Amino acid sequence: MRVAIGRVGRPHGIDGAFFVEQPSDDERWWKTGARFLAGGAPVEVVAHRVSSGRPVIKLEPPVERGVLLEVERGDLPATAEDEYYAFELIGLQVVEETGRSLGTVKAVTPGVANDVLELDSGVLLPMVEDCIRVVDLAGGRIEVAEGFAA
Protein backbone atom coordinates (compact mmCIF):
# COMPACT_ATOMS: atom_id res chain seq x y z
CA MET A 1 0.00 0.00 0.00
CA ARG A 2 1.28 3.45 -0.90
CA VAL A 3 0.60 6.67 0.99
CA ALA A 4 0.59 10.14 -0.58
CA ILE A 5 3.07 12.56 0.99
CA GLY A 6 2.55 15.43 -1.44
CA ARG A 7 2.24 16.51 -5.05
CA VAL A 8 4.57 18.32 -7.43
CA GLY A 9 3.50 21.96 -7.41
CA ARG A 10 4.50 25.11 -9.24
CA PRO A 11 8.14 25.70 -10.13
CA HIS A 12 10.38 27.69 -7.79
CA GLY A 13 13.28 29.25 -9.67
CA ILE A 14 14.87 27.96 -12.85
CA ASP A 15 16.84 24.98 -11.54
CA GLY A 16 13.96 22.47 -11.65
CA ALA A 17 12.94 22.91 -8.01
CA PHE A 18 9.24 23.11 -7.12
CA PHE A 19 6.89 23.77 -4.24
CA VAL A 20 5.43 20.62 -2.71
CA GLU A 21 1.63 20.83 -2.62
CA GLN A 22 -0.17 19.23 0.34
CA PRO A 23 3.15 18.22 1.94
CA SER A 24 3.37 15.63 4.68
CA ASP A 25 4.15 17.08 8.10
CA ASP A 26 7.04 14.60 8.27
CA GLU A 27 9.87 16.90 7.20
CA ARG A 28 12.31 14.05 6.58
CA TRP A 29 10.75 13.58 3.13
CA TRP A 30 11.76 17.11 2.13
CA LYS A 31 15.50 16.80 2.93
CA THR A 32 18.36 16.18 0.50
CA GLY A 33 18.92 12.43 0.17
CA ALA A 34 15.30 11.42 0.85
CA ARG A 35 13.95 8.75 -1.49
CA PHE A 36 10.34 8.05 -2.41
CA LEU A 37 8.13 7.49 -5.45
CA ALA A 38 6.95 10.15 -7.92
CA GLY A 39 4.30 8.87 -10.29
CA GLY A 40 5.25 5.35 -9.23
CA ALA A 41 8.94 5.77 -10.16
CA PRO A 42 11.77 6.04 -7.61
CA VAL A 43 13.24 9.53 -7.13
CA GLU A 44 15.72 11.22 -4.82
CA VAL A 45 15.68 14.72 -3.36
CA VAL A 46 18.90 16.36 -4.62
CA ALA A 47 18.25 19.85 -3.21
CA HIS A 48 15.90 21.30 -0.64
CA ARG A 49 14.94 24.62 0.92
CA VAL A 50 11.93 26.35 2.44
CA SER A 51 10.11 29.31 0.93
CA SER A 52 7.20 31.06 2.61
CA GLY A 53 7.16 28.22 5.15
CA ARG A 54 6.62 25.58 2.45
CA PRO A 55 9.03 22.86 1.27
CA VAL A 56 10.76 23.43 -2.06
CA ILE A 57 12.65 20.44 -3.47
CA LYS A 58 14.44 19.31 -6.61
CA LEU A 59 14.18 15.66 -7.66
CA GLU A 60 16.37 13.38 -9.71
CA PRO A 61 15.15 12.36 -12.15
CA PRO A 62 12.96 15.44 -12.78
CA VAL A 63 9.17 14.95 -12.78
CA GLU A 64 6.20 16.82 -14.25
CA ARG A 65 3.96 19.21 -12.33
CA GLY A 66 0.97 17.53 -10.69
CA VAL A 67 2.68 14.16 -10.16
CA LEU A 68 1.77 12.40 -6.91
CA LEU A 69 4.59 11.86 -4.39
CA GLU A 70 4.23 8.62 -2.40
CA VAL A 71 5.94 6.26 0.01
CA GLU A 72 5.29 2.64 0.81
CA ARG A 73 3.17 2.22 3.96
CA GLY A 74 5.99 0.29 5.61
CA ASP A 75 8.33 3.29 5.23
CA LEU A 76 6.22 5.41 7.58
CA PRO A 77 7.24 5.61 11.23
CA ALA A 78 5.06 3.73 13.68
CA THR A 79 2.43 5.79 15.48
CA ALA A 80 2.17 6.03 19.25
CA GLU A 81 -0.83 4.73 21.16
CA ASP A 82 -3.94 6.81 20.33
CA GLU A 83 -2.22 8.31 17.26
CA TYR A 84 -3.36 7.60 13.72
CA TYR A 85 -2.46 8.62 10.22
CA ALA A 86 -5.30 10.52 8.56
CA PHE A 87 -5.46 8.04 5.68
CA GLU A 88 -6.16 5.22 8.19
CA LEU A 89 -9.38 6.95 9.27
CA ILE A 90 -10.83 7.39 5.78
CA GLY A 91 -13.65 4.91 5.20
CA LEU A 92 -14.27 4.10 8.88
CA GLN A 93 -17.88 4.00 10.09
CA VAL A 94 -18.71 6.61 12.73
CA VAL A 95 -21.23 5.70 15.43
CA GLU A 96 -22.43 7.57 18.52
CA GLU A 97 -22.15 5.86 21.91
CA THR A 98 -25.92 5.36 21.67
CA GLY A 99 -25.45 3.21 18.56
CA ARG A 100 -26.77 5.84 16.10
CA SER A 101 -24.84 5.70 12.82
CA LEU A 102 -23.51 9.08 11.70
CA GLY A 103 -21.83 8.08 8.43
CA THR A 104 -18.42 7.23 7.03
CA VAL A 105 -15.25 9.32 7.25
CA LYS A 106 -14.59 10.84 3.83
CA ALA A 107 -11.81 13.27 4.82
CA VAL A 108 -9.70 14.46 7.73
CA THR A 109 -9.20 18.21 7.50
CA PRO A 110 -6.54 20.10 9.45
CA GLY A 111 -8.06 22.83 11.59
CA VAL A 112 -6.72 25.74 13.58
CA ALA A 113 -7.21 24.12 17.00
CA ASN A 114 -7.72 20.48 15.96
CA ASP A 115 -8.32 18.25 12.96
CA VAL A 116 -11.90 17.66 11.82
CA LEU A 117 -13.52 14.43 10.62
CA GLU A 118 -15.70 15.09 7.56
CA LEU A 119 -18.38 12.43 7.15
CA ASP A 120 -20.18 11.46 3.95
CA SER A 121 -23.43 12.54 5.66
CA GLY A 122 -22.18 16.14 5.90
CA VAL A 123 -21.47 15.91 9.64
CA LEU A 124 -18.23 17.54 10.88
CA LEU A 125 -16.68 16.21 14.09
CA PRO A 126 -13.73 17.68 15.99
CA MET A 127 -10.83 15.33 16.64
CA VAL A 128 -10.76 16.06 20.38
CA GLU A 129 -10.83 13.70 23.35
CA ASP A 130 -14.29 14.89 24.46
CA CYS A 131 -15.74 13.84 21.09
CA ILE A 132 -13.75 10.79 19.95
CA ARG A 133 -14.20 7.91 22.38
CA VAL A 134 -12.77 4.90 20.52
CA VAL A 135 -10.92 4.44 17.24
CA ASP A 136 -11.02 0.79 16.21
CA LEU A 137 -8.97 0.46 13.03
CA ALA A 138 -9.29 -3.34 12.96
CA GLY A 139 -13.06 -3.13 13.46
CA GLY A 140 -13.45 -0.31 10.95
CA ARG A 141 -15.26 2.10 13.24
CA ILE A 142 -14.99 5.22 15.35
CA GLU A 143 -17.22 5.72 18.38
CA VAL A 144 -18.03 9.31 19.32
CA ALA A 145 -19.75 10.97 22.26
CA GLU A 146 -23.41 11.83 21.98
CA GLY A 147 -24.24 15.45 21.24
CA PHE A 148 -21.48 16.36 18.76
CA ALA A 149 -23.61 15.65 15.68
CA ALA A 150 -26.79 17.61 15.06
Side-chain angles (χ1 to χ4, degrees), residues 102 106 118-124:
L102 300 177
K106 76 173 188 178
E118 293 183 38
L119 307 187
D120 60 358
S121 60
V123 172
L124 302 175

Side-chain angles (χ1 to χ4, degrees), residues 78-119:
T79 55
E81 186 176 333
D82 291 335
E83 285 185 341
Y84 310 93
Y85 286 109
F87 72 87
E88 294 177 306
L89 304 178
I90 307 299
L92 297 185
Q93 294 294 317
V94 180
V95 180
E96 278 188 338
E97 294 172 309
T98 62
R100 179 173 74 127
S101 178
L102 300 177
T104 302
V105 178
K106 76 173 188 178
V108 179
T109 307
V112 176
N114 53 264
D115 291 347
V116 175
L117 291 178
E118 293 183 38
L119 307 187

Side-chain angles (χ1 to χ4, degrees), residues 8 16-18 34 36 38 43-47 57-63 69:
V8 177
F18 59 87
F36 46 83
V43 294
E44 180 177 349
V45 177
V46 294
I57 61 173
K58 180 179 178 183
L59 297 177
E60 190 59 48
V63 295
L69 306 174

